[in-house]
Amino acid sequence: MQKEELAGLLNRYLSGNATDNDLFLIDEWFRQTEEVTYILTEERKDIIEKRLLLRLRAITDNTGHRRYGHLRRFVNKRWRQIAAACVLGVGITGYYHRHTMSEILIPEKQQIITAGLYEIRTVLLPDSSKVVLNTGSSISYPLHGWKTRRDLTLKGEAFFDICQRPQPFIVRTRQLHVRVLGTSFVVSDKDKKNTAIVTVLTGKVQVAHARTILTLQPHKQVSVNPLTGIAEVTSANDKAVAAWTHNVLSFSETPLDQVFRAIGQRFKVQILIPPLKQGNEKLFTGTFNINDSLEDVLMALSLSTNITYKRVNDKQVDIQYP
């Protein structure tokens, strides 16, 4: 149930032979993705106007069957989207934004991987591509089908190192769709209110936003303003952009009790923390990388916050505040 099924549904719809079930499926498909519009050139729009608009309106004038009442309401709202689907090859080939019919009819089981609040997590995907998730970020992708389709959804920020394959690799976010074959890049799209950014380290990356598709070369970055929708391409400092990927823990003005909780989870030890008096809370800002041992981390905290620590045993650490 991929683009072939959708083509059949749309053809039956435009010819006036759609069943009630067909109408429901098409309506559901557009309802779930209606916030995204097709990317059409003026030439393509002219084709739609000349070849398909009158045909669509003619269908809505026919009220001889009860399904055409639904048809009239449906086409008046979305005739451009339906026509665009036909002009663009009656499907989603080369188009980033639409979900496939199969995703709606039979939702695929998803693998969801999330980095902890202060954790930077490295993930190996089924095709051996590597993803590094920044703190609090997550990815989700189908458990099956990676031989034919490499497609995932990102919430937050991540570094991608994609293995070269014939199938394109698609990263979907709230505001962007990124398409590559084999390259490394960083995507940051944390919230609809925040600027969405894609930075290319190696290879080429195609980025789609609203009606714009950009091709980025290495050491280039595109920033999309969520208020204006304007995309700006600039040069990027690769090392600065990807610096966080070498860390495993990252804290910014974080209460010490939360810092020790995250460290305990990271190193699988129990950290005993005395209660702090109200108004005497301590905050910590800093990062630790994959080469830092538990002893390194505790020593750094001791030097920067004046805490003392004692290794009770291999699985327990006692913390004392000054």
Side-chain angles (χ1 to χ4, degrees), residues 232-292:
E232 181 182 5
V233 177
T234 59
S235 297
N237 184 330
D238 294 358
K239 290 184 178 180
V241 169
W244 62 266
T245 64
H246 302 294
N247 303 323
V248 292
L249 291 172
S250 180
F251 305 98
S252 178
E253 296 186 352
T254 306
L256 271 181
D257 59 337
Q258 296 181 28
V259 172
F260 286 121
R261 196 174 301 125
I263 291 171
Q265 292 175 353
R266 162 66 185 168
F267 292 98
K268 295 180 173 56
V269 296
Q270 182 184 16
I271 298 182
L272 305 176
I273 311 167
L276 273 175
K277 294 180 180 180
Q278 189 173 4
N280 196 32
E281 294 87 355
K282 292 181 178 293
L283 303 179
F284 176 75
T285 296
T287 59
F288 300 104
N289 65 42
I290 196 169
N291 296 318
D292 292 328

Side-chain angles (χ1 to χ4, degrees), residues 177-305:
H177 285 203
V178 182
R179 182 181 186 273
V180 303
L181 289 176
T183 183
S184 61
F185 56 99
V186 176
V187 180
S188 179
D189 194 352
K190 299 178 181 179
D191 190 89
K192 287 184 178 180
K193 297 179 181 179
N194 294 333
T195 300
I197 302 172
V198 177
T199 306
V200 182
L201 307 183
T202 62
K204 292 182 180 179
V205 171
Q206 286 185 330
V207 180
H209 168 71
R211 296 178 180 274
T212 303
I213 295 180
L214 300 170
T215 299
L216 297 181
Q217 303 288 341
H219 322 303
K220 293 295 182 180
Q221 178 182 85
V222 61
S223 303
V224 178
N225 187 311
L227 299 179
T228 63
I230 295 175
E232 181 182 5
V233 177
T234 59
S235 297
N237 184 330
D238 294 358
K239 290 184 178 180
V241 169
W244 62 266
T245 64
H246 302 294
N247 303 323
V248 292
L249 291 172
S250 180
F251 305 98
S252 178
E253 296 186 352
T254 306
L256 271 181
D257 59 337
Q258 296 181 28
V259 172
F260 286 121
R261 196 174 301 125
I263 291 171
Q265 292 175 353
R266 162 66 185 168
F267 292 98
K268 295 180 173 56
V269 296
Q270 182 184 16
I271 298 182
L272 305 176
I273 311 167
L276 273 175
K277 294 180 180 180
Q278 189 173 4
N280 196 32
E281 294 87 355
K282 292 181 178 293
L283 303 179
F284 176 75
T285 296
T287 59
F288 300 104
N289 65 42
I290 196 169
N291 296 318
D292 292 328
S293 66
L294 176 58
E295 194 70 26
D296 294 333
V297 172
L298 293 174
M299 180 61 71
L301 283 165
S302 176
L303 293 172
S304 61
T305 65

Side-chain angles (χ1 to χ4, degrees), residues 65-259:
H65 193 281
R66 64 186 178 91
R67 69 171 174 262
Y68 290 113
H70 184 174
L71 204 61
R72 184 190 302 110
R73 172 172 54 83
F74 182 74
V75 175
N76 286 341
K77 182 180 179 181
R78 297 199 179 104
W79 68 267
R80 283 185 180 274
Q81 291 175 306
I82 297 168
C86 296
V87 171
L88 290 172
V90 200
I92 57 174
T93 302
Y95 182 65
Y96 301 86
H97 299 291
R98 295 292 182 190
H99 296 291
T100 61
M101 290 297 295
S102 62
E103 290 174 335
I104 295 171
L105 300 176
I106 309 175
E108 294 182 83
K109 291 184 179 180
Q110 298 285 307
Q111 175 71 52
I112 301 174
I113 301 174
T114 302
L117 187 58
Y118 309 110
E119 174 192 26
I120 295 173
R121 184 171 181 179
T122 300
V123 180
L124 193 64
L125 297 175
D127 65 344
S128 297
S129 294
K130 184 177 78 171
V131 180
V132 183
L133 295 171
N134 209 341
T135 60
S137 301
S138 68
I139 55 170
S140 58
Y141 59 88
L143 285 171
H144 307 290
W146 271 77
K147 290 184 178 179
T148 57
R149 180 165 60 94
R150 302 191 294 170
D151 192 324
L152 63 74
T153 299
L154 166 69
K155 294 181 180 179
E157 183 174 25
F159 163 82
F160 295 87
D161 189 1
I162 304 304
C163 289
Q164 183 77 37
R165 296 285 189 276
Q167 300 82 11
F169 190 102
I170 306 295
V171 178
R172 307 175 189 273
T173 74
R174 294 172 185 265
Q175 303 175 72
L176 303 172
H177 285 203
V178 182
R179 182 181 186 273
V180 303
L181 289 176
T183 183
S184 61
F185 56 99
V186 176
V187 180
S188 179
D189 194 352
K190 299 178 181 179
D191 190 89
K192 287 184 178 180
K193 297 179 181 179
N194 294 333
T195 300
I197 302 172
V198 177
T199 306
V200 182
L201 307 183
T202 62
K204 292 182 180 179
V205 171
Q206 286 185 330
V207 180
H209 168 71
R211 296 178 180 274
T212 303
I213 295 180
L214 300 170
T215 299
L216 297 181
Q217 303 288 341
H219 322 303
K220 293 295 182 180
Q221 178 182 85
V222 61
S223 303
V224 178
N225 187 311
L227 299 179
T228 63
I230 295 175
E232 181 182 5
V233 177
T234 59
S235 297
N237 184 330
D238 294 358
K239 290 184 178 180
V241 169
W244 62 266
T245 64
H246 302 294
N247 303 323
V248 292
L249 291 172
S250 180
F251 305 98
S252 178
E253 296 186 352
T254 306
L256 271 181
D257 59 337
Q258 296 181 28
V259 172

